[in-house]
């Protein structure tokens, strides 16, 4: 299957409600990572295109969008959800081809993205203020005002839901937006912008500029007319975005990396723990910021757990996304080299390999970027591979002798995005939840929270929270009005 069969062309950015090429006329290829082949050409947007999009989004703040009643704004966003579901199969196939993810995962991503629009659609007419008692002679109240033009810089690992989870609350609060999808996966954002127009959102309310991080992302983050930047991606780029936004005092919501621990205590149900840990480090081929990539396991259950995990990991299927394997490819050769480099370094330092440890070859997809599910045992807490985000299907096993030691190891990185624990002892689970430095905690499951639960990082995993009601704080500012009566 190719893009033409899916109703291409996608070769466009969306600015002011119109498809456009880059002002420079340049384009770049996006790849099918399962075949390692070009999928289609996309405009290489630059600073001038970003400026056009931001000016357009700024003008749209004063247009019919400002006068759109909250209930009507809700109806429009609900219509976006309906259109996403109606065109869901095409969207899922494009996303699977562009990102490499298994088609069933891409279908779930479309469903989740539509759910974000439904959820925030319901909040448009519930953004209430408060009154503050100052005595009989005064009236003081608060209003929630939009911030202005919001920028959304999106990574390649979960392109559509990450764009949707920022856009939906930003628009619900009355802002306008410029989206910069990752250069590896630009296609679904362009389709999303077209769905927003079809749903009836005024032109300019949501613009999409495709292009590289350097050429399009950086000018967007530093643009003086941007009021807020939502960024998901690497810690290093997040720091650059934060510095750029600081130049014009724009707010930032950063969702960065993680090195999330899954603790398994000796009394845990082994079958449940094996299933949870397997999913935690192999879902999306490990390319998830909240992936559980460190198994912190009590010694008495270590061997049993590793036998089960090794056998299950070796049995996982790898293949092209459209063939719906357990694991698709990594996003690029660069990413596979990065993962290989981390694992090679760990092996050079003498770390024990339980399974995997190499690129994988898939029939009919010989040029795809596949990597075997990999488990390394007895990894010291300070080792590079226990500290750095690998972003591939690589699990580090760290044996411990007590809950206290498990908590210390769990908290022993600069990150703090997610954490899991498996145990039958509710007190130990809740002590762990209290002590662990992580924005989301999973008990006797992993990634069990869903898309309406606040998500974001402690420490260097980021700042601010996305999803749920908590996300509204990113996209509204409070205006307090006081009257002397
Ligand atoms: P990245 O953080 O550089 O890219 C994420 C987004 O930021 C992309 O849209 C990119 O075009 C844009 N970008 C890049 N440089 C920019 C700049 N200077 N200003 C503004 N925007 C910019 O990530 P990457 O290089 O694609 O991947 C590198 C590593 O980052 C991965 O190996 C992984 O460890 C991590 N990563 C994390 C996430 C996550 O969800 N936390 C997602 C993708 C990658």
């Amino acid at each position: 299957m190719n893009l033409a069969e899916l109703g291409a062309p996608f070769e466009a950015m969306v600015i002011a409600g119109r498809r456009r090429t880059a002002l420079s006329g340049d384009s770049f290829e996006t790849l099918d990572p399962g075949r390692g082949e070009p999928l289609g050409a996309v405009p290489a947007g630059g600073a001038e295109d970003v400026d056009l999009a931001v000016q357009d989004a700024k003008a749209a703040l004063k247009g019919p969008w400002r006068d759109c009643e909250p209930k009507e704004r809700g109806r429009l966003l609900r219509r976006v959800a309906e259109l996403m579901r109606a065109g869901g199969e095409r969207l899922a196939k494009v996303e699977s081809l562009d990102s490499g993810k298994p088609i069933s995962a891409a279908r779930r991503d479309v469903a989740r993205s539509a759910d974000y629009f439904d959820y925030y659609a319901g909040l448009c007419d519930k953004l209430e203020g408060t009154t503050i008692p100052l005595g009989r002679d005064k009236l003081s109240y608060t209003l929630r005002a939009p911030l202005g033009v919001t920028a959304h810089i999106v990574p390649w690992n979960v392109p559509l839901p990450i764009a949707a989870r920022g856009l939906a609350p930003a628009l619900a609060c009355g802002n306008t937006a410029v989206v910069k999808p990752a250069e590896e996966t630009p296609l679904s954002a362009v389709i999303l912008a077209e769905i927003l127009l079809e749903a009836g959102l005024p032109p300019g309310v949501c613009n999409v500029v495709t292009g590289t991080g350097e050429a399009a992302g950086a000018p967007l983050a530093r643009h003086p007319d941007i009021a807020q930047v939502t960024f998901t991606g690497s810690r290093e780029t997040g720091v650059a975005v934060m510095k750029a936004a600081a130049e014009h005092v724009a707010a930032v919501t950063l969702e960065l990396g993680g090195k999330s621990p899954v603790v398994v205590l000796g009394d845990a149900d082994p079958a449940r723990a094996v299933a949870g840990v397997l999913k935690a480090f192999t879902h999306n081929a490990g390319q998830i910021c909240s992936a559980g990539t460190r198994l912190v396991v009590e010694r008495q259950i270590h061997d049993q757990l590793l036998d089960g995990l090794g056998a299950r990991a070796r049995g996982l299927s790898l293949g092209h996304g459209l063939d719906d394997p357990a694991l698709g490819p990594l996003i690029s050769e660069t990413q596979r080299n990065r993962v290989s480099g981390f694992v090679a370094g760990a092996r050079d330092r003498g770390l024990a390999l339980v399974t995997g440890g190499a690129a994988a070859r898939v029939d009919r997809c010989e040029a795809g970027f596949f990597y075997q599910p990999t488990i390394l045992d007895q990894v010291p807490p300070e080792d590079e591979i226990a500290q750095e985000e690998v972003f591939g299907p690589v699990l580090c096993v760290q044996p411990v002798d007590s809950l206290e030691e498990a908590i210390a190891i769990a908290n022993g990185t600069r990150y703090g995005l997610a954490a899991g624990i498996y145990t039958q002892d509710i007190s130990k689970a809740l002590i762990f939840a209290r002590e662990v430095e992580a924005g989301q905690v999973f008990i006797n499951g992993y990634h069990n929270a869903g898309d309406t639960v606040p998500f974001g990082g402690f420490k260097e995993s980021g700042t601010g929270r996305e999803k749920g009601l908590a996300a509204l704080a990113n996209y509204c500012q409070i205006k307090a009005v006081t009257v002397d009566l």
Side-chain angles (χ1 to χ4, degrees):
M1 175 163 299
N2 58 38
L3 287 185
E5 292 168 57
L6 291 167
F10 295 106
E11 310 85 16
M13 304 188 282
V14 178
I15 299 178
R18 288 198 302 119
R19 285 169 167 269
R20 308 181 66 108
T21 53
L23 287 168
S24 65
D26 294 343
S27 61
F28 65 96
E29 293 280 358
T30 179
L31 294 186
D32 167 355
R35 297 209 175 80
E37 290 170 358
L39 193 55
V42 178
E48 328 80 69
D49 302 286
V50 166
D51 188 51
L52 204 62
V54 174
Q55 293 314 329
D56 196 58
K58 192 177 168 189
L61 283 169
K62 297 209 166 22
W65 189 234
R66 183 183 59 183
D67 300 326
C68 182
E69 284 187 13
K71 198 161 66 174
E72 178 56 17
R73 211 156 62 212
R75 275 199 205 103
L76 291 174
L77 296 186
R78 213 166 285 118
R79 177 99 185 102
V80 172
E82 286 161 10
L83 289 170
M84 283 178 99
R85 292 192 187 102
E89 191 56 19
R90 170 175 172 251
L91 201 43
K93 283 184 175 147
V94 170
E95 190 81 325
S96 172
L97 274 171
D98 206 15
S99 70
K101 67 178 61 199
I103 183 68
S104 56
R107 288 185 184 120
R108 281 194 299 277
D109 278 3
V110 173
R112 293 167 63 193
S113 303
D115 286 349
Y116 283 126
F117 278 92
D118 264 342
Y119 179 86
Y120 291 105
L123 290 171
C124 290
D125 57 359
K126 299 169 191 73
L127 297 170
E128 297 176 352
T130 55
T131 56
I132 298 113
L134 292 182
R136 271 174 59 75
D137 297 333
K138 286 182 189 283
L139 170 64
S140 192
Y141 63 93
T142 62
L143 300 168
R144 295 212 213 191
L147 291 162
V149 183
T150 59
H152 302 258
I153 301 177
V154 179
W156 41 259
N157 55 336
V158 201
L160 189 63
I162 290 179
R165 81 180 182 201
L167 260 183
L171 299 178
C173 294
N175 301 284
T176 59
V178 177
V179 181
K180 209 299 281 174
E183 48 270 50
E184 294 85 354
T185 54
L187 302 178
S188 57
V190 175
I191 302 179
L192 178 56
E194 293 184 345
I195 289 176
L196 292 170
L197 287 169
E198 192 185 341
L201 275 90
V205 169
C206 175
N207 299 303
V208 173
V209 179
T210 53
T212 64
E214 203 180 323
L220 182 59
R222 66 168 180 260
H223 199 291
D225 288 324
I226 290 291
Q228 188 271 354
V229 187
T230 293
F231 170 83
T232 302
S234 64
R235 181 195 167 281
E236 291 66 29
T237 306
V239 169
V241 165
M242 201 174 193
K243 284 182 179 165
E247 287 296 323
H248 51 101
V249 198
V252 288
T253 304
L254 300 178
E255 203 264 273
L256 310 178
K259 195 73 201 179
S260 299
V262 192
V263 171
V264 180
L265 298 184
D267 67 349
D269 172 348
R272 199 165 168 177
V274 164
V277 174
L278 190 75
K279 185 177 107 180
F281 86 96
T282 61
H283 178 60
N284 213 38
Q287 303 167 115
I288 295 277
C289 43
S290 56
T293 50
R294 292 187 295 138
L295 167 60
V296 181
V297 56
E298 265 193 321
R299 226 171 282 276
Q300 71 253 42
I301 199 175
H302 167 275
D303 292 357
Q304 185 184 3
L305 223 60
L306 248 63
D307 286 350
L309 269 174
R312 292 279 297 273
R314 280 185 283 276
L316 291 173
S317 60
L318 277 84
H320 191 275
L322 292 181
D323 294 332
D324 209 21
L327 271 79
L330 301 181
I331 191 68
S332 62
E333 188 68 64
T334 307
Q335 189 62 19
R336 185 165 65 174
N337 288 338
R338 183 182 146 92
V339 173
S340 300
F342 273 116
V343 174
R347 294 184 72 179
D348 288 348
R349 292 188 295 279
L351 293 184
L353 192 64
V354 176
T355 187
R361 189 183 168 285
V362 168
D363 282 345
R364 293 179 295 110
C365 290
E366 285 76 9
F369 312 125
F370 299 93
Y371 198 83
Q372 297 170 350
T374 297
I375 303 176
L376 292 154
D377 196 10
Q378 310 290 337
V379 180
E382 68 283 358
D383 192 88
E384 177 194 59
I385 205 156
Q387 292 290 328
E388 297 299 327
E389 181 172 58
V390 173
F391 236 59
V394 179
L395 181 72
C396 298
V397 181
Q398 303 180 284
V400 292
D401 291 306
S402 66
L403 174 64
E404 291 66 36
E405 193 186 354
I407 292 170
I409 299 260
N411 287 340
T413 74
R414 62 182 166 174
Y415 293 115
L417 195 52
I421 186 165
Y422 285 82
T423 175
Q424 310 282 353
D425 185 330
I426 187 68
S427 296
K428 287 185 173 173
L430 294 180
I431 288 168
F432 177 77
R434 187 188 67 201
E435 298 298 323
V436 74
E437 294 159 354
Q440 275 204 352
V441 183
F442 313 121
I443 298 175
N444 288 330
Y446 201 84
H447 281 151
N448 59 4
D451 293 316
T452 58
V453 177
F455 178 66
F458 277 36
K459 302 193 285 190
E460 296 188 28
S461 285
T463 174
R465 292 293 176 270
E466 296 198 78
K467 306 187 184 181
L469 296 179
L472 296 175
N474 303 327
Y475 302 110
C476 292
Q477 53 193 336
I478 289 178
K479 180 182 281 185
V481 182
T482 304
V483 191
D484 280 347
L485 296 174

